[in-house]
């Protein structure tokens, strides 16, 4: 992206205007905030016929001027064996706001991941019935302290006595009674095992679901989704479509949408960068397009204009009814709803 910057070392420090954005007497550079050699920047600057030469300023050398730029905070400067390098510091309020917004989104994603991890731990604990995880047995090698020592094995006598008792009982009761007792035991056993299996399966299902949501928590670089209302922000199509709303009818290759305009009914094929989400009035239905709750329908509760975010109540999935704060404007959009019927 090109940036117009005027570098004009003035004879007095107070009047120095480097680097300053101006519409005229400027040279175009693609460096912007990249780290480049000071000689490259200066050579591009002196291509201007009306430039101020270094000899007519208070700085005798380009190195002194470079050091002054770093001291005054215009640029980041550093010296290397190949020479001095400078990096322009962009203090534009819009750039600073965008950087703060990105940092806030990263923090929000980390918080969502931590909450998901805690929820998974709770589900695992519930699946274990509140028991502490058992320590794994430690197996050691069987060794004799001396060659003369004998190894003996003690067999449990209880098993033998129980076997004898069972044989005696079988003689006393007869075959019919044993069959009835055996069938009763077989009927009772599956019921308890099935209940335990069901309980384990339900906890496992919840863990798997949270794992899927954790995977979705990584922000994607695409957000288009059929059935949502969007606004055209590009001016390349003229005033007829600029700032006008439409409904996404089809998504192609994740980044391209076929949009049907609400006013005219025209169908346009637009890139994701030419569209933006639409924030409805509180109480309306929206679709979450990015983050942990991606592809989840919700109700818009309130809007925080200072933080450019909203509070939503999830209205689908296993987390239905959960209230979520801090969802950024670009992460959800109005669901077409009744508009879909009118533009179809």
């Amino acid at each position: 992206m090109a940036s117009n910057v005027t570098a004009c070392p003035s004879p007095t420090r107070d009047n120095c205007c480097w680097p300053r954005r101006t519409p005229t007497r400027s040279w175009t550079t693609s460096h912007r905030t990249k780290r480049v050699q000071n000689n490259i920047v200066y050579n591009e600057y002196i291509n201007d016929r009306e430039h101020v030469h270094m000899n007519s300023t208070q700085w005798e050398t380009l190195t002194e001027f470079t050091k002054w730029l770093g001291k005054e905070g215009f640029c980041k400067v550093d010296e290397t064996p190949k020479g001095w390098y400078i990096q322009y510091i962009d203090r534009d309020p819009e750039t600073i706001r965008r950087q703060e917004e990105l940092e806030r989104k990263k923090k929000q994603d980390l918080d969502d991941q931590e909450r998901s991890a805690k929820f998974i731990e709770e589900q695992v604990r519930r699946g274990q019935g509140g028991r502490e995880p058992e320590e794994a047995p430690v197996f050691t090698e069987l060794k004799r302290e001396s060659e003369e020592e004998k190894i003996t094995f003690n067999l449990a006598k209880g098993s033998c006595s129980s076997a004898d008792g069972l044989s005696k009982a079988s003689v006393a009761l007869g075959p019919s009674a044993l069959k009835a007792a055996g069938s009763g035991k077989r009927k009772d056993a599956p019921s308890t095992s099935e209940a335990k299996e069901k309980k384990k399966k339900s906890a496992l299902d919840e863990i798997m679901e949270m794992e899927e949501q954790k995977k979705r928590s990584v922000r994607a670089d695409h957000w288009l989704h059929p059935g949502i209302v969007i606004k055209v922000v590009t001016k390349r199509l003229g005033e007829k479509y600029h700032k006008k709303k439409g409904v996404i009818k089809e998504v192609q290759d994740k980044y391209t949408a076929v949009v049907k305009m609400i006013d005219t009914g025209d169908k346009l094929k637009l890139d994701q960068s030419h569209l933006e989400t639409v924030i409805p009035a509180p109480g309306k239905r929206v679709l979450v397009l990015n983050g942990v709750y991606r592809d989840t329908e919700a109700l818009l509760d309130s809007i925080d204009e200072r933080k450019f975010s909203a509070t939503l109540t999830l209205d689908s999935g296993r987390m239905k009814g959960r209230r979520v704060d801090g969802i950024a404007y670009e992460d959800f959009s109005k669901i077409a709803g009744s508009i879909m019927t009118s533009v179809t």
Side-chain angles (χ1 to χ4, degrees), residues 214 243 279 284 306 319 334:
K214 188 176 179 182
K243 295 294 182 181
I279 312 301
K284 299 295 184 179
R306 186 174 59 86
M319 296 186 182
K334 179 180 179 181

Side-chain angles (χ1 to χ4, degrees), residues 166 169-170 173-187:
L166 182 61
S170 62
L173 295 175
S176 60
L178 288 175
K179 287 182 181 179
S183 62
K185 287 183 179 179
R186 283 193 295 271
K187 288 179 182 178

Side-chain angles (χ1 to χ4, degrees), residues 316-331:
S316 63
R318 286 181 177 254
M319 296 186 182
K320 182 176 181 180
R322 173 176 289 187
R323 186 182 175 91
V324 184
D325 299 324
I327 304 298
Y329 286 167
E330 58 268 27
D331 288 348

Side-chain angles (χ1 to χ4, degrees), residues 108 110-120 210 292-293 322 324-325:
Q108 178 185 341
L110 289 176
D111 293 342
D112 290 340
Q113 290 179 7
E114 289 178 1
R115 284 196 294 267
S116 299
K118 288 182 180 179
F119 184 79
I120 291 173
M210 290 306 302
V292 182
Y293 309 105
R322 173 176 289 187
V324 184
D325 299 324

Side-chain angles (χ1 to χ4, degrees), residues 55-272:
N55 293 337
S56 62
T57 67
Q58 64 179 6
W59 296 282
E60 296 180 357
T61 62
L62 180 59
T63 300
E64 293 181 3
F65 178 57
T66 301
K67 292 179 179 179
W68 181 85
L69 290 175
K71 182 179 179 181
E72 294 297 321
F74 287 114
C75 299
K76 294 179 183 178
V77 300
D78 61 298
E79 186 180 12
T80 67
K82 295 183 179 180
W84 284 88
Y85 281 79
I86 62 176
Q87 184 177 2
Y88 173 59
I89 301 175
D90 191 354
R91 302 186 186 279
D92 181 51
E94 182 64 22
T95 302
I96 296 174
R97 188 196 66 80
R98 195 180 304 113
Q99 291 175 349
E100 291 176 352
E101 187 70 16
L102 289 175
E103 290 296 330
R104 187 186 62 79
K105 286 181 183 177
K106 289 181 181 178
K107 185 177 181 301
Q108 178 185 341
D109 290 341
L110 289 176
D111 293 342
D112 290 340
Q113 290 179 7
E114 289 178 1
R115 284 196 294 267
S116 299
K118 288 182 180 179
F119 184 79
I120 291 173
E121 291 177 2
E122 179 65 20
Q123 294 302 315
V124 172
R125 190 184 64 79
R126 285 172 51 190
Q128 294 176 348
R131 300 189 305 273
E132 293 294 331
E134 298 180 357
E135 296 184 359
V138 179
F139 300 98
T140 58
E141 185 179 357
L142 181 62
K143 293 182 179 180
R144 288 189 295 179
E145 296 181 359
S146 63
E147 295 294 332
E148 297 178 357
E149 185 180 356
K150 295 181 179 180
I151 300 176
T152 58
F153 298 95
N154 292 325
L155 299 176
K157 294 181 179 181
S159 59
C160 297
S161 60
S162 61
D164 294 339
L166 182 61
S167 60
K168 291 178 181 179
S170 62
V171 174
L173 295 175
S176 60
L178 288 175
K179 287 182 181 179
S183 62
K185 287 183 179 179
R186 283 193 295 271
K187 288 179 182 178
D188 295 339
S191 61
T192 56
S193 61
E194 285 177 5
K196 288 182 180 179
E197 188 177 355
K198 276 186 178 179
K199 186 177 180 181
K200 289 182 179 178
K201 281 186 177 180
S202 62
L204 183 61
D205 291 341
E206 291 180 1
I207 292 172
M208 291 177 63
E209 182 181 358
M210 290 306 302
E211 283 294 334
E212 291 178 0
Q213 291 183 353
K214 188 176 179 182
K215 292 178 183 178
R216 293 202 303 263
S217 66
V218 180
R219 297 186 62 82
D221 59 351
H222 57 88
W223 54 268
L224 299 176
H225 195 284
I228 62 171
V229 182
I230 48 80
K231 183 184 294 184
V232 179
V233 294
T234 181
K235 295 182 179 179
R236 296 180 181 179
L237 302 176
E239 295 298 327
K240 180 180 179 181
Y241 301 112
H242 184 234
K243 295 294 182 181
K244 296 297 188 295
K245 295 179 182 179
V247 178
I248 295 181
K249 306 296 292 182
E250 182 184 353
V251 177
Q252 300 176 356
D253 301 328
K254 297 182 181 179
Y255 304 96
T256 306
V258 177
V259 179
K260 190 167 188 177
M261 304 306 295
I262 295 176
D263 293 341
T264 62
D266 297 341
K267 282 191 176 182
L268 307 176
K269 190 175 182 180
L270 299 171
D271 186 76
Q272 171 179 279

